[in-house]
Structures are given as C-alpha cells and as structure tokens.
Amino acid sequence: MTPNIKDDGEWRVSGISRNYPSYRQHRPITSESWLEGKNVDDEAEGLWRINDTLYDLSDFAARHPGGSSWIECTRGTDITEPFESHHIEERARGMLGKFEVRKAARPRNYKFTIEENGFYMTLKRRVREKLRQIDYSPTKKTEFLHLGILVSVFLFSWAGTVLDSLIFKGLAGLSLCWVATSTHNYFHQRDNWRMYTFNLTMMNFRNWRISHALSHHVYANSLHDLEMSMFEPFLCWIPDRHYASKAQRLISVLISPVVYVVLFQGQFLIRLVLSLTKRNLLRWDDLIGFSLPIFIYLSTGVGLFSALLSWEIIISVGSFIFGLIGLTAAHHDPRILHDGDAQRQDFDWGLYQVDTIIDRGDIKWSDLLVLTHFGEHALHHLFPTLDHGVLKHLYPELRKTMKEFDVELREINHWSHIKGQNQQLLRIEKNPIPPGSKKLK
C-alpha cells in the first residue's frame, strides 16, 4: 500500500480511504495504471475482495452473465461497491459462497459502508421490489433513440461533406457526441453490440468501463476518481493548493474549451504512443473509430484530404460538445462534495453518491435529453446497470428513502452547472461544513 504523501509539511490524504492512491504516483495516468494501483492498495491478495472476504472468480469469469471482462480486469481489487450496485437482485450474493477462499488479512482501504439498514441497502430493497412490478429490461424507446442518433452521424457526415456545409458537419458532430453519451447507457450493462459504437469517437469503451464505471461511479470526486485525475494538470477540481495553484486554476478555466476539443482524439493518441513506446494498449475495436472517415471518403467522391478535413471538423465539434456536457453534467460545483471537504459522519456509500451530485432538473421532461446529457444522474450512479428509460420510475422510492434519512436531492439547470464547474476549478478553500448542512444546499 502507498502511505499518505507529505508535501510542504502537510499530508495529502483522501477522505474516503486510509491510504493515498498509488496510481497517482506515476505518469501518465491511464486505466491500466489505475487498476495496477488498486492491486497495490486494495489488499485483495491477487483475488477478488468483497467487504472483508476474498473470492476466487477465475473459473466463473467465462460464465459471468455481464461478460468476462468485468471479472478479468478487476482481479486483485476490492469490488465491494460495484458488486452491490451492479447486482440489484440477490442471486449473485447467493452464489458467492461457492467462490469464497478466506478472510482478508487487513481491513478495507476504503471507508465506505453498505449496512443492511443504511441508506443504500434500504433504497436497494425498495428498488428491487419496484422493478418486479415494471418492465426494466432495456427499453425499446431507448434503443430506438440510440439507433436514430447513430444513423444521423453518417447521414449528416455525408451531407456535410457533399454540400461542404459547416451546419451539417456541426450536426454530425453533435450526433457523434450524442452517440457517445447515449452509448454510455450500454457499456454499464452486460456485453452488447451498442457499446462498440462508442468507439466511433476514437475513444474506447473498454477504457471507459474502467475510468467511468469502475472508478468514477464508485469513487466520484475523490483522489481515486480516474476521470478527475486524468485531466490533471490541465484541469483540477480538488480544492487544495497542493494540486493546483490559483494561477494554474485560472489558466484551467481559460483553456478548458481547448481541452474539450481534443478529448476524443487525444485519448486515442495517448493509447497509440504508449503502445509504441511501452506496451500495447490497442484492441481490434479501436479500428471502429476509422470507419467514419472511410465512409465519408468512399461515399462522397471527394478527395482524401477533403474527406479527412471533414472528419476532423466533425470529430472536433463532437469532442467539444461531449466535454461541455460531460464535465458540467452533475459533479462540479462549490456546493458539491469533493475530496478534502468535510464529510458526513455516516460513510454510507449511497449517501456519498448523493453528496457528490447535483442533478439537472431542466432535462427531466425529455427522454432524449436524459439519455444524451447524463440525466437522472443520482439514480444512475446508485443503479448504473439500469436503462436510463427506467430510472424515472424509481423517484417515489428514492424520495421516500431520502426523507427517512434526511437527505436532499438537489437540482439546478445546465447554465448553473456551467458556472459552478468554473467556480469549482477556481476553488482552493475546502468546505468545512459537511453535506446536508443548510449553508451548502
């Protein structure tokens, strides 16, 4: 395990764990290095850890209903919270005894609790009962919306190139962004063909299953959140002068639009450089990203340079919109809990998720906007494998449980999130008042 780090006479610590995350000690930070760091920190002894028990899931990986990759990539790590949030029914828990090896030698690194009478498990039981009354399989409407958006990418790309129209190229970029945000609904779920469409952006769903589903969704807004760490030193949301000075934070606000533009291709280039210089990180499905420029070239009759230029415009527009939507979706605002801020005494994992989110109340009226703008965010974090079209049916259970535990579901509009995200980038002072205080609402 990596001990906490001392800098300028002060200790750098994470509020949700006993030890400073090992992966942050090395650059570049990648999905692979994050998993390697967890292997060091999680005391899982090369097995799979759930609470204080170690399991050997090696032989089960190929039979895992969600796909073998979820099991294979988490070997040697603590999967307590993903296990609970990805399995709403109790069947998976009933199978665990078959794979138990022994008790872990040391306590968990993470401070989270998932007690039977706590907030999360109380809500989970109610959601389980509600889902038995409704159809919560991936909804046909969500599938229709995703397919329509996917087709739009190619139609608008073709029209924008043939007509040399920036308007149609811009619409193609918006559609490409929406492919990424709507496909996010699917790579949380069991393996399916739709998750591969995410790779049209030049990013890769395999990396995002790690950085988003296993890291951000579990450890949101903390030093363990890979989706925050990967942006450093360009963008830093941790309210601490050790991670970014006032001058650096001001620069972050100014350059954030540039960061948005290079998100898509930048992630591919990082994987490519590391594959050429260290070890191969590329997979066969990375080739999917090149299907769009090939389609543009072969279907429009324009020259190679014109086809590539058109694609570059489309992917840059899509990347910018994706960055703008994604980084202002729910998590970054001075009123939202970030690592270093005062926390509740109750470390219930579900309460922590609620404390790191302010939902968008301005898009709940539209299934399309919810799907493409990371809507119903609190419920999605709590139950990530559920289709976005189902989440809206769970608000009675959520509100009832929140009332019992004296928790508030906060909501603001997108413009407020945009302002809040910039304010968070500039914030250095830690919030001394724990979530739930009226001064932070």
Side-chain angles (χ1 to χ4, degrees):
M1 277 184 301
T2 300
N4 295 321
I5 306 301
K6 199 169 188 179
D7 187 3
D8 296 335
E10 296 185 23
W11 291 100
R12 293 191 189 187
V13 299
S14 172
I16 67 168
S17 64
R18 292 185 289 108
N19 296 283
Y20 188 81
S22 296
Y23 81 96
R24 289 182 59 90
Q25 302 304 301
H26 307 283
R27 291 290 189 273
I29 290 176
T30 65
S31 298
E32 291 75 19
S33 69
W34 183 82
L35 286 173
E36 291 168 359
K38 275 183 70 64
N39 268 263
V40 174
D41 298 336
D42 285 3
E43 303 284 355
E45 304 174 41
L47 299 168
W48 288 262
R49 179 170 186 155
I50 300 176
N51 292 312
D52 290 325
T53 305
L54 302 180
Y55 301 88
D56 187 352
L57 303 178
S58 304
D59 294 335
F60 177 68
R63 295 180 283 120
H64 182 232
S68 61
S69 64
W70 291 110
I71 303 295
E72 293 167 351
C73 75
T74 54
R75 176 190 286 272
T77 70
D78 186 330
I79 59 170
T80 302
E81 289 78 20
F83 175 81
E84 291 292 349
S85 61
H86 284 219
H87 301 100
I88 300 174
E89 292 293 341
E90 297 181 294
R91 182 169 178 266
R93 179 180 294 279
M95 296 174 60
L96 276 180
K98 302 176 183 178
F99 308 104
E100 182 174 339
V101 177
R102 59 181 176 274
K103 294 296 182 181
R106 292 173 57 87
R108 293 186 71 208
N109 183 37
Y110 308 103
K111 300 178 182 179
F112 295 133
T113 61
I114 303 183
E115 303 291 343
E116 283 300 318
N117 294 322
F119 172 82
Y120 184 69
M121 292 303 287
T122 300
L123 175 61
K124 185 176 175 180
R125 285 192 296 273
R126 288 171 175 161
V127 166
R128 182 188 305 137
E129 291 302 315
K130 181 64 170 285
L131 293 177
R132 290 171 181 168
Q133 303 169 24
I134 64 175
D135 176 14
Y136 70 99
S137 60
T139 64
K140 294 297 182 183
K141 183 174 183 179
T142 305
E143 293 174 355
F144 175 78
L145 290 172
H146 176 264
L147 182 60
I149 295 167
L150 178 61
V151 171
S152 298
V153 172
F154 290 90
L155 291 179
F156 284 132
S157 296
W158 181 86
T161 304
V162 169
L163 300 175
D164 194 21
S165 168
L166 285 177
I167 293 177
F168 279 112
K169 291 174 185 176
L171 289 172
L174 173 63
S175 299
L176 184 62
C177 163
W178 281 9
V179 163
T181 53
S182 61
T183 302
H184 153 262
N185 182 61
Y186 295 102
F187 65 58
H188 280 286
Q189 300 172 7
R190 65 181 60 196
D191 290 350
N192 58 88
W193 72 266
R194 295 175 189 273
M195 65 188 182
Y196 289 95
T197 63
F198 185 81
N199 291 19
L200 285 170
T201 64
M202 302 300 292
M203 300 187 292
N204 192 295
F205 78 90
R206 299 177 192 273
N207 296 93
W208 273 69
R209 273 188 160 180
I210 298 169
S211 65
H212 186 76
L214 294 175
S215 178
H216 168 70
H217 259 256
V218 180
Y219 313 110
N221 288 10
S222 76
L223 295 176
H224 297 269
D225 185 347
L226 182 55
E227 283 194 358
M228 293 215 308
S229 301
M230 290 176 71
F231 282 97
E232 297 175 9
F234 305 106
L235 305 178
C236 178
W237 295 277
I238 299 294
D240 191 317
R241 63 183 177 83
H242 289 296
Y243 299 103
S245 65
K246 287 185 177 181
Q248 288 174 301
R249 292 173 186 273
L250 179 58
I251 293 172
S252 291
V253 173
L254 297 175
I255 68 170
S256 56
V258 178
V259 175
Y260 300 164
V261 170
V262 300
L263 275 178
F264 282 179
Q265 295 179 91
Q267 291 197 32
F268 174 78
L269 290 174
I270 290 172
R271 297 198 309 278
L272 177 62
V273 170
L274 291 176
S275 296
L276 294 174
T277 58
K278 294 187 177 181
R279 59 171 175 165
N280 181 44
L281 302 179
L282 297 175
R283 306 292 290 268
W284 70 266
D285 43 73
D286 281 305
L287 294 174
I288 294 173
F290 295 100
S291 62
L292 183 57
I294 291 173
F295 165 80
I296 293 172
Y297 176 65
L298 294 178
S299 67
T300 60
V302 302
L304 179 61
F305 178 78
S306 295
L308 290 175
L309 179 60
S310 182
W311 175 59
E312 183 62 38
I313 293 171
I314 292 167
I315 203 165
S316 296
V317 170
S319 182
F320 174 81
I321 300 173
F322 181 83
L324 179 63
I325 292 175
L327 295 180
T328 60
H331 288 286
H332 301 308
D333 182 287
R335 294 165 292 180
I336 297 175
L337 177 69
H338 288 74
D339 219 336
D341 293 333
Q343 299 195 35
R344 297 176 185 268
Q345 291 185 345
D346 185 350
F347 269 87
D348 181 276
W349 180 75
L351 289 176
Y352 177 83
Q353 296 301 314
V354 173
D355 291 339
T356 58
I357 291 168
I358 295 181
D359 243 315
R360 280 190 58 182
D362 57 334
I363 59 175
K364 292 182 181 295
W365 61 274
S366 168
D367 289 343
L368 174 63
L369 292 179
V370 165
L371 179 64
T372 56
H373 289 70
F374 303 105
E376 321 287 20
H377 211 84
L379 278 168
H380 173 60
H381 261 251
L382 294 165
F383 305 103
T385 60
L386 293 181
D387 186 270
H388 271 64
V390 172
L391 295 174
K392 62 185 177 182
H393 299 292
L394 304 180
Y395 276 105
E397 288 69 30
L398 178 63
R399 291 194 176 98
K400 179 179 180 180
T401 310
M402 284 185 154
K403 184 177 181 180
E404 288 181 12
F405 285 83
D406 193 22
V407 186
E408 179 187 11
L409 178 64
R410 299 173 291 177
E411 295 181 354
I412 57 178
N413 61 31
H414 194 207
W415 175 241
S416 296
H417 265 303
I418 292 173
K419 291 189 295 182
Q421 197 261 162
N422 287 311
Q423 291 168 348
Q424 182 61 34
L425 283 172
L426 294 171
R427 179 162 77 98
I428 290 181
E429 298 301 322
K430 303 173 183 179
N431 284 330
I433 304 172
S437 168
K438 292 183 180 179
K439 291 185 178 180
L440 292 181
K441 292 181 179 179

